[in-house]
Amino acid sequence: ARSTSQNANFDGYQHPEFVNKPLLLAEARALSQGTYRTIALTTGAFLTWVIKLGVDWEKRAIHCVGSAEPLVGMTAFDDIARSVARLALIALDPVTAASLPEDGRVRVGGQFASVLDIKAAVKRVKGVELDVHISDAQAVRGMLKAKYPPELMDIIYYAG
């Protein structure tokens, strides 16, 4: 499955973090002078943040932007940690290091779920019915453009 959620970047806007990441990767590669392998790990949304920040348990509501149907890539912190450890082992062994992508880009996708999937899981596991609150994507994009650079919660709100 492929994530079809809101992209953190859109026409006329690029989140500052996504401007910095390629620069940091280039700097790390330059500093290493080829002595170590640099891996750019992409994880999708942090699962814990989606549940803690996307669900208002008091109001029994879940928030999304644009639509509740697109799949969102989410990965738990422990899955990210295991992936980093495994990638380090792979990169250290000359035999397995060759299996890593040339550009060093690795994507870890724990699972893909929509807001509707999360709502159904909460109902099934906790017995709690969540109301889905959908914000207008164009309005939120306007807010992000007007408030540049955004605060962390602004981009989580949009990309959620």
Side-chain angles (χ1 to χ4, degrees), residues 27-66:
E27 182 181 1
R29 286 183 174 150
L31 289 171
S32 80
Q33 299 177 351
T35 58
Y36 59 84
R37 190 75 187 255
T38 309
I39 298 170
L41 185 65
T42 304
T43 63
F46 299 140
L47 180 60
T48 306
W49 288 16
V50 170
I51 301 303
K52 287 187 177 178
L53 301 174
V55 178
D56 184 334
W57 295 104
E58 254 183 47
K59 295 181 181 176
R60 295 183 177 214
I62 187 166
H63 171 79
C64 63
V65 176

Short mmCIF file of all heavy atoms in Angstrom, two decimals, residues 27-66:
data_model
loop_
_atom_site.label_atom_id
_atom_site.label_comp_id
_atom_site.label_asym_id
_atom_site.label_seq_id
_atom_site.Cartn_x
_atom_site.Cartn_y
_atom_site.Cartn_z
N GLU A 27 26.09 17.05 4.05
CA GLU A 27 27.15 17.41 4.99
C GLU A 27 27.72 16.17 5.67
O GLU A 27 28.95 16.03 5.81
CB GLU A 27 26.61 18.38 6.04
CG GLU A 27 27.66 18.84 7.03
CD GLU A 27 27.11 19.80 8.09
OE1 GLU A 27 25.91 20.11 8.07
OE2 GLU A 27 27.91 20.22 8.94
N ALA A 28 26.86 15.24 6.09
CA ALA A 28 27.33 14.01 6.74
C ALA A 28 28.18 13.20 5.78
O ALA A 28 29.23 12.67 6.16
CB ALA A 28 26.14 13.19 7.23
N ARG A 29 27.76 13.12 4.52
CA ARG A 29 28.54 12.36 3.54
C ARG A 29 29.89 13.02 3.29
O ARG A 29 30.91 12.33 3.16
CB ARG A 29 27.75 12.23 2.24
CG ARG A 29 26.62 11.23 2.38
CD ARG A 29 25.87 11.02 1.09
NE ARG A 29 24.90 9.94 1.29
CZ ARG A 29 23.76 9.85 0.64
NH1 ARG A 29 23.43 10.75 -0.26
NH2 ARG A 29 22.94 8.85 0.88
N ALA A 30 29.92 14.33 3.23
CA ALA A 30 31.19 15.05 3.02
C ALA A 30 32.12 14.85 4.21
O ALA A 30 33.32 14.62 4.03
CB ALA A 30 30.92 16.53 2.78
N LEU A 31 31.58 14.94 5.42
CA LEU A 31 32.39 14.78 6.62
C LEU A 31 32.96 13.37 6.74
O LEU A 31 34.06 13.18 7.27
CB LEU A 31 31.59 15.14 7.87
CG LEU A 31 31.27 16.62 8.05
CD1 LEU A 31 30.30 16.82 9.21
CD2 LEU A 31 32.55 17.42 8.29
N SER A 32 32.22 12.38 6.29
CA SER A 32 32.67 10.99 6.42
C SER A 32 33.81 10.67 5.47
O SER A 32 34.56 9.73 5.71
CB SER A 32 31.52 10.03 6.18
OG SER A 32 31.28 9.86 4.79
N GLN A 33 33.94 11.44 4.40
CA GLN A 33 34.98 11.21 3.38
C GLN A 33 35.01 9.75 2.95
O GLN A 33 36.07 9.17 2.76
CB GLN A 33 36.34 11.67 3.90
CG GLN A 33 36.38 13.14 4.22
CD GLN A 33 37.70 13.59 4.80
OE1 GLN A 33 38.56 12.79 5.14
NE2 GLN A 33 37.86 14.89 4.93
N GLY A 34 33.82 9.16 2.86
CA GLY A 34 33.71 7.78 2.40
C GLY A 34 34.07 6.73 3.44
O GLY A 34 34.13 5.55 3.11
N THR A 35 34.29 7.13 4.67
CA THR A 35 34.69 6.15 5.69
C THR A 35 33.50 5.40 6.29
O THR A 35 33.69 4.37 6.93
CB THR A 35 35.49 6.81 6.83
OG1 THR A 35 34.69 7.84 7.42
CG2 THR A 35 36.79 7.40 6.32
N TYR A 36 32.31 5.92 6.14
CA TYR A 36 31.14 5.19 6.60
C TYR A 36 29.97 5.42 5.66
O TYR A 36 29.96 6.36 4.88
CB TYR A 36 30.75 5.53 8.05
CG TYR A 36 30.45 7.00 8.31
CD1 TYR A 36 29.20 7.52 8.06
CD2 TYR A 36 31.42 7.85 8.83
CE1 TYR A 36 28.91 8.85 8.31
CE2 TYR A 36 31.15 9.18 9.09
CZ TYR A 36 29.89 9.67 8.82
OH TYR A 36 29.60 10.99 9.07
N ARG A 37 29.02 4.54 5.74
CA ARG A 37 27.84 4.58 4.89
C ARG A 37 26.79 5.48 5.52
O ARG A 37 26.52 5.37 6.71
CB ARG A 37 27.29 3.15 4.75
CG ARG A 37 26.23 2.95 3.74
CD ARG A 37 26.86 2.95 2.33
NE ARG A 37 25.83 2.93 1.33
CZ ARG A 37 25.53 1.86 0.62
NH1 ARG A 37 26.20 0.75 0.78
NH2 ARG A 37 24.57 1.91 -0.26
N THR A 38 26.20 6.37 4.74
CA THR A 38 25.16 7.26 5.24
C THR A 38 23.82 6.77 4.73
O THR A 38 23.65 6.53 3.53
CB THR A 38 25.39 8.70 4.76
OG1 THR A 38 26.74 9.06 5.06
CG2 THR A 38 24.47 9.66 5.45
N ILE A 39 22.87 6.62 5.64
CA ILE A 39 21.54 6.12 5.28
C ILE A 39 20.50 7.17 5.66
O ILE A 39 20.49 7.66 6.78
CB ILE A 39 21.24 4.79 6.01
CG1 ILE A 39 22.26 3.72 5.57
CG2 ILE A 39 19.82 4.33 5.73
CD1 ILE A 39 22.20 2.46 6.39
N ALA A 40 19.65 7.50 4.71
CA ALA A 40 18.55 8.43 4.95
C ALA A 40 17.29 7.58 5.18
O ALA A 40 16.78 6.96 4.25
CB ALA A 40 18.36 9.36 3.77
N LEU A 41 16.82 7.56 6.40
CA LEU A 41 15.69 6.71 6.78
C LEU A 41 14.40 7.53 6.78
O LEU A 41 14.30 8.56 7.44
CB LEU A 41 15.94 6.13 8.17
CG LEU A 41 14.93 5.12 8.69
CD1 LEU A 41 14.96 3.86 7.83
CD2 LEU A 41 15.25 4.77 10.13
N THR A 42 13.42 7.06 6.03
CA THR A 42 12.10 7.68 6.00
C THR A 42 11.13 6.75 6.70
O THR A 42 11.09 5.56 6.39
CB THR A 42 11.64 7.93 4.54
OG1 THR A 42 12.62 8.71 3.88
CG2 THR A 42 10.30 8.63 4.50
N THR A 43 10.34 7.29 7.63
CA THR A 43 9.50 6.42 8.47
C THR A 43 8.01 6.64 8.32
O THR A 43 7.23 5.85 8.81
CB THR A 43 9.83 6.64 9.95
OG1 THR A 43 9.51 7.98 10.30
CG2 THR A 43 11.28 6.36 10.25
N GLY A 44 7.59 7.71 7.70
CA GLY A 44 6.17 8.06 7.74
C GLY A 44 5.86 8.71 9.08
O GLY A 44 6.76 9.09 9.83
N ALA A 45 4.62 8.82 9.41
CA ALA A 45 4.20 9.44 10.67
C ALA A 45 4.57 8.53 11.84
O ALA A 45 4.57 7.31 11.72
CB ALA A 45 2.69 9.68 10.67
N PHE A 46 4.91 9.14 12.97
CA PHE A 46 5.18 8.36 14.17
C PHE A 46 3.84 7.89 14.73
O PHE A 46 2.96 8.70 15.05
CB PHE A 46 5.91 9.18 15.23
CG PHE A 46 7.26 9.70 14.80
CD1 PHE A 46 7.67 10.96 15.14
CD2 PHE A 46 8.12 8.90 14.05
CE1 PHE A 46 8.91 11.44 14.76
CE2 PHE A 46 9.37 9.37 13.66
CZ PHE A 46 9.77 10.64 14.02
N LEU A 47 3.67 6.59 14.84
CA LEU A 47 2.40 6.01 15.27
C LEU A 47 1.93 6.60 16.60
O LEU A 47 0.76 6.95 16.76
CB LEU A 47 2.53 4.49 15.37
CG LEU A 47 1.29 3.72 15.80
CD1 LEU A 47 0.14 3.97 14.83
CD2 LEU A 47 1.59 2.24 15.90
N THR A 48 2.84 6.74 17.55
CA THR A 48 2.48 7.28 18.87
C THR A 48 1.92 8.69 18.74
O THR A 48 0.95 9.04 19.41
CB THR A 48 3.72 7.30 19.80
OG1 THR A 48 4.27 6.00 19.82
CG2 THR A 48 3.35 7.73 21.19
N TRP A 49 2.53 9.51 17.89
CA TRP A 49 2.06 10.87 17.71
C TRP A 49 0.67 10.89 17.07
O TRP A 49 -0.16 11.72 17.44
CB TRP A 49 3.02 11.67 16.84
CG TRP A 49 4.31 12.02 17.51
CD1 TRP A 49 4.83 11.48 18.65
CD2 TRP A 49 5.24 13.00 17.08
NE1 TRP A 49 6.04 12.05 18.94
CE2 TRP A 49 6.31 13.00 18.00
CE3 TRP A 49 5.28 13.87 16.00
CZ2 TRP A 49 7.41 13.84 17.85
CZ3 TRP A 49 6.38 14.71 15.87
CH2 TRP A 49 7.42 14.69 16.79
N VAL A 50 0.44 10.00 16.12
CA VAL A 50 -0.88 9.95 15.47
C VAL A 50 -1.96 9.69 16.51
O VAL A 50 -2.99 10.37 16.53
CB VAL A 50 -0.92 8.87 14.36
CG1 VAL A 50 -2.34 8.66 13.85
CG2 VAL A 50 0.02 9.25 13.22
N ILE A 51 -1.71 8.73 17.38
CA ILE A 51 -2.72 8.37 18.39
C ILE A 51 -2.84 9.44 19.46
O ILE A 51 -3.93 9.82 19.86
CB ILE A 51 -2.39 6.99 19.02
CG1 ILE A 51 -2.36 5.91 17.94
CG2 ILE A 51 -3.37 6.65 20.12
CD1 ILE A 51 -3.65 5.78 17.12
N LYS A 52 -1.70 9.97 19.95
CA LYS A 52 -1.75 10.96 21.03
C LYS A 52 -2.19 12.33 20.54
O LYS A 52 -2.87 13.05 21.26
CB LYS A 52 -0.39 11.07 21.72
CG LYS A 52 -0.08 9.88 22.59
CD LYS A 52 1.17 10.09 23.39
CE LYS A 52 1.40 8.91 24.30
NZ LYS A 52 2.62 9.03 25.07
N LEU A 53 -1.77 12.72 19.33
CA LEU A 53 -2.07 14.07 18.86
C LEU A 53 -3.28 14.12 17.92
O LEU A 53 -3.92 15.15 17.80
CB LEU A 53 -0.85 14.66 18.15
CG LEU A 53 0.42 14.74 19.01
CD1 LEU A 53 1.59 15.21 18.17
CD2 LEU A 53 0.21 15.65 20.20
N GLY A 54 -3.56 13.03 17.24
CA GLY A 54 -4.66 13.04 16.28
C GLY A 54 -6.01 12.72 16.88
O GLY A 54 -7.05 13.03 16.30
N VAL A 55 -6.00 12.08 18.05
CA VAL A 55 -7.25 11.69 18.70
C VAL A 55 -7.46 12.55 19.94
O VAL A 55 -6.59 12.65 20.79
CB VAL A 55 -7.24 10.19 19.08
CG1 VAL A 55 -8.53 9.81 19.80
CG2 VAL A 55 -7.04 9.32 17.86
N ASP A 56 -8.62 13.18 20.02
CA ASP A 56 -9.01 13.92 21.22
C ASP A 56 -9.91 12.98 22.03
O ASP A 56 -11.09 12.84 21.74
CB ASP A 56 -9.76 15.20 20.83
CG ASP A 56 -10.12 16.07 22.03
OD1 ASP A 56 -10.25 15.52 23.15
OD2 ASP A 56 -10.28 17.28 21.83
N TRP A 57 -9.29 12.32 23.00
CA TRP A 57 -10.02 11.30 23.76
C TRP A 57 -11.15 11.90 24.59
O TRP A 57 -12.19 11.26 24.76
CB TRP A 57 -9.06 10.51 24.64
CG TRP A 57 -8.08 9.72 23.82
CD1 TRP A 57 -6.77 10.01 23.60
CD2 TRP A 57 -8.36 8.54 23.06
NE1 TRP A 57 -6.22 9.08 22.75
CE2 TRP A 57 -7.17 8.16 22.41
CE3 TRP A 57 -9.50 7.76 22.87
CZ2 TRP A 57 -7.08 7.05 21.59
CZ3 TRP A 57 -9.41 6.65 22.05
CH2 TRP A 57 -8.21 6.30 21.42
N GLU A 58 -10.94 13.12 25.12
CA GLU A 58 -11.99 13.77 25.91
C GLU A 58 -13.24 14.01 25.07
O GLU A 58 -14.36 13.78 25.52
CB GLU A 58 -11.48 15.10 26.46
CG GLU A 58 -11.17 15.06 27.93
CD GLU A 58 -10.73 16.43 28.43
OE1 GLU A 58 -11.38 17.45 28.12
OE2 GLU A 58 -9.73 16.45 29.17
N LYS A 59 -13.03 14.52 23.86
CA LYS A 59 -14.17 14.85 22.98
C LYS A 59 -14.57 13.67 22.10
O LYS A 59 -15.50 13.78 21.32
CB LYS A 59 -13.81 16.04 22.10
CG LYS A 59 -13.61 17.31 22.90
CD LYS A 59 -13.27 18.48 21.99
CE LYS A 59 -13.04 19.74 22.80
NZ LYS A 59 -12.62 20.85 21.96
N ARG A 60 -13.84 12.57 22.24
CA ARG A 60 -14.10 11.38 21.43
C ARG A 60 -14.14 11.74 19.94
O ARG A 60 -15.11 11.47 19.23
CB ARG A 60 -15.38 10.69 21.86
CG ARG A 60 -15.26 10.14 23.27
CD ARG A 60 -16.48 9.39 23.69
NE ARG A 60 -16.24 8.85 25.02
CZ ARG A 60 -16.73 7.70 25.43
NH1 ARG A 60 -17.47 6.98 24.65
NH2 ARG A 60 -16.45 7.27 26.64
N ALA A 61 -13.04 12.35 19.50
CA ALA A 61 -12.96 12.83 18.11
C ALA A 61 -11.57 12.53 17.55
O ALA A 61 -10.59 12.46 18.28
CB ALA A 61 -13.24 14.32 18.06
N ILE A 62 -11.54 12.36 16.25
CA ILE A 62 -10.28 12.19 15.53
C ILE A 62 -10.25 13.24 14.43
O ILE A 62 -11.28 13.49 13.79
CB ILE A 62 -10.09 10.76 15.00
CG1 ILE A 62 -8.69 10.57 14.42
CG2 ILE A 62 -11.17 10.37 14.03
CD1 ILE A 62 -8.32 9.11 14.19
N HIS A 63 -9.10 13.85 14.24
CA HIS A 63 -8.98 14.96 13.30
C HIS A 63 -8.19 14.54 12.07
O HIS A 63 -7.25 13.77 12.15
CB HIS A 63 -8.25 16.13 13.97
CG HIS A 63 -7.89 17.20 13.01
ND1 HIS A 63 -8.81 18.12 12.58
CD2 HIS A 63 -6.75 17.47 12.36
CE1 HIS A 63 -8.23 18.93 11.71
NE2 HIS A 63 -6.97 18.55 11.57
N CYS A 64 -8.59 15.06 10.92
CA CYS A 64 -7.82 14.89 9.70
C CYS A 64 -8.05 16.09 8.79
O CYS A 64 -8.94 16.91 9.03
CB CYS A 64 -8.18 13.59 8.99
SG CYS A 64 -9.89 13.49 8.43
N VAL A 65 -7.24 16.19 7.76
CA VAL A 65 -7.33 17.29 6.81
C VAL A 65 -7.66 16.72 5.44
O VAL A 65 -7.01 15.79 4.98
CB VAL A 65 -6.01 18.09 6.75
CG1 VAL A 65 -6.07 19.16 5.68
CG2 VAL A 65 -5.70 18.71 8.11
N GLY A 66 -8.68 17.26 4.81
CA GLY A 66 -9.02 16.88 3.44
C GLY A 66 -9.96 15.71 3.31
O GLY A 66 -11.01 15.82 2.71
#
